[in-house]
């Protein structure tokens, strides 16, 4: 195949393919919009040693993460208070995408407790975000996990 002679038909085929690729590249460059921060991160809190309280139309949610500091490959607990509705949450890497980790919630006397484990990253520390859906609203909680 490398020893084939460049014919007029082959040259037209190559030029046509290049024109299609250049057009696609220019179109993508012109219509590209940089990713905006997620709307969910606007309604976020830092889950550190203290409890995070988020106000909404229905009241306030008390959210806390334990143990602190969070360690990779160990079970973490997310406590959500002041809600009767079972929350739904997933955990995703903020500084690096490592998949979506579901949080399993159980009803406790003072609210809901969710359990999850995050994997170890190659970096010494990694930021994660919990996307907590409480029915009508999504709240994001950002936390750091150490190796």
């Amino acid at each position: 195949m490398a020893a084939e002679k460049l014919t007029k038909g082959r040259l037209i085929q190559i030029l046509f393919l290049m024109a299609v690729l250049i057009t696609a590249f220019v179109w993508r460059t012109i219509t590209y919009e940089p990713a905006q921060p997620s709307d969910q991160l606007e309604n976020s809190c830092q889950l550190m040693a203290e409890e995070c309280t988020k106000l909404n139309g229905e009241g306030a949610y008390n959210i806390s993460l334990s143990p602190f500091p969070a360690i990779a490959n160990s079970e973490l607990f997310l406590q959500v208070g002041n809600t009767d509705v079972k929350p739904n949450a997933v955990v995703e890497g903020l500084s690096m995408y490592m998949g979506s980790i579901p949080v399993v919630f159980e009803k406790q006397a003072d609210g809901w407790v969710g359990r999850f484990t995050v994997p170890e990253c190659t970096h010494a520390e990694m930021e994660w975000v919990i996307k907590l859906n409480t029915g009508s609203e999504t709240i994001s909680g950002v936390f750091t996990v150490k190796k």
Side-chain angles (χ1 to χ4, degrees):
M1 188 118 162
E4 285 185 31
K5 210 173 188 186
L6 183 62
T7 64
K8 184 177 180 181
R10 186 58 131 171
L11 179 63
I12 291 172
Q13 192 176 29
I14 291 170
L15 291 175
F16 177 75
L17 183 60
M18 284 182 57
V20 168
L21 291 175
I22 290 171
T23 303
F25 175 76
V26 169
W27 176 258
R28 179 69 178 139
T29 302
I30 291 171
T31 61
Y32 175 75
E33 292 180 16
Q36 299 296 322
S38 175
D39 293 340
Q40 297 155 345
L41 292 180
E42 291 174 6
N43 191 15
S44 69
C45 60
Q46 292 290 327
L47 292 173
M48 299 301 172
E50 67 275 352
E51 188 174 82
C52 173
T53 302
K54 291 306 289 180
L55 299 173
N56 68 356
E58 303 166 3
Y61 294 113
N62 298 323
I63 306 166
S64 63
L65 181 71
S66 63
F68 185 79
I71 308 273
N73 293 326
S74 64
E75 191 169 47
L76 301 172
F77 300 94
L78 177 68
Q79 185 162 2
V80 181
N82 297 346
T83 182
D84 293 328
V85 179
K86 182 176 182 179
N88 181 16
V90 293
V91 179
E92 295 178 351
L94 190 60
S95 50
M96 177 189 312
Y97 183 73
M98 294 180 69
S100 292
I101 302 165
V103 179
V104 180
F105 284 95
E106 294 176 1
K107 181 73 171 156
Q108 301 289 324
D110 54 347
W112 295 90
V113 175
R115 299 168 185 251
F116 64 97
T117 303
V118 294
E120 190 173 291
C121 181
T122 57
H123 302 290
E125 290 185 348
M126 182 173 164
E127 283 193 328
W128 292 81
V129 61
I130 297 174
K131 296 178 181 176
L132 178 68
N133 188 348
T134 58
S136 62
E137 186 176 14
T138 300
I139 301 168
S140 296
V142 179
F143 64 99
T144 303
V145 173
K146 296 184 180 191
K147 219 175 198 184

